[in-house]
Amino acid sequence: MKIIILHPDGQREERTLPVGPDKRLDALQAAIGGYIEYLSPAFHALHNHEVIINEDGFERLPVNRAGSLAIGMDLHTCHPLSGPIVLVPTADDLHAQRQAHEHYFGRLDAVVLGLSSEEEAGLGFVIDAR
């Protein structure tokens, strides 16, 4: 399986992902330069790729504006990602998962904004930790 790495300097690189789970994790960590974090489909527009980033990239890696735009992030509402962005093909269509996340976050926003109660939104209860 080929993965795509979108570097902060605009370069695009393809690598072969090893098959074994331990080798796969090592290869993904090497590609992003640290511990991996899966970016929720709610924050990107790709249907057949998982997006992997460095879990502490915001603190120490260069901003990857081009890569963030390439995966369909809305930079009007989100900060661009930092460091390399790894795209891993998946057989799953992430569209349904994205819609479920958007629906959940929409209900959560309605409660936080005072447009509905937790019960009306079907959330049970919400702890606002702002």
Side-chain angles (χ1 to χ4, degrees), residues 51-113:
V51 176
I52 299 175
I53 57 175
N54 187 311
E55 79 172 2
D56 63 339
F58 287 114
E59 299 171 6
R60 60 181 184 83
L61 297 174
V63 171
N64 192 339
R65 184 174 176 80
S68 299
L69 289 170
I71 66 170
M73 283 188 71
D74 181 359
L75 298 186
H76 296 291
T77 58
C78 299
H79 291 288
L81 300 173
S82 296
I85 300 169
V86 176
L87 310 179
V88 180
T90 179
D92 300 330
D93 184 351
L94 300 176
H95 184 69
Q97 186 179 0
R98 179 178 301 104
Q99 286 183 320
H101 288 178
E102 288 173 353
H103 180 69
Y104 172 77
F105 287 120
R107 292 185 300 154
L108 189 60
D109 283 346
V111 171
V112 171
L113 293 172

Side-chain angles (χ1 to χ4, degrees), residues 4-82:
I4 299 168
I5 305 168
L6 305 173
H7 294 280
D9 64 4
Q11 288 185 323
R12 181 182 183 275
E13 176 185 359
E14 286 189 22
R15 291 187 192 170
T16 300
L17 190 62
V19 176
D22 290 339
K23 291 181 181 182
R24 176 185 165 115
L25 178 60
D26 290 343
L28 291 172
Q29 287 177 333
I32 54 104
Y35 293 111
I36 67 170
E37 178 179 346
Y38 286 85
L39 184 67
S40 168
F43 297 103
H44 67 81
L46 304 178
H47 293 284
N48 297 97
H49 286 83
E50 293 177 323
V51 176
I52 299 175
I53 57 175
N54 187 311
E55 79 172 2
D56 63 339
F58 287 114
E59 299 171 6
R60 60 181 184 83
L61 297 174
V63 171
N64 192 339
R65 184 174 176 80
S68 299
L69 289 170
I71 66 170
M73 283 188 71
D74 181 359
L75 298 186
H76 296 291
T77 58
C78 299
H79 291 288
L81 300 173
S82 296

Side-chain angles (χ1 to χ4, degrees), residues 103-130:
H103 180 69
Y104 172 77
F105 287 120
R107 292 185 300 154
L108 189 60
D109 283 346
V111 171
V112 171
L113 293 172
L115 302 174
S116 72
S117 69
E118 292 93 341
E119 188 174 313
E120 291 169 333
L123 297 173
F125 65 92
V126 175
I127 299 172
D128 189 353
R130 288 181 280 165

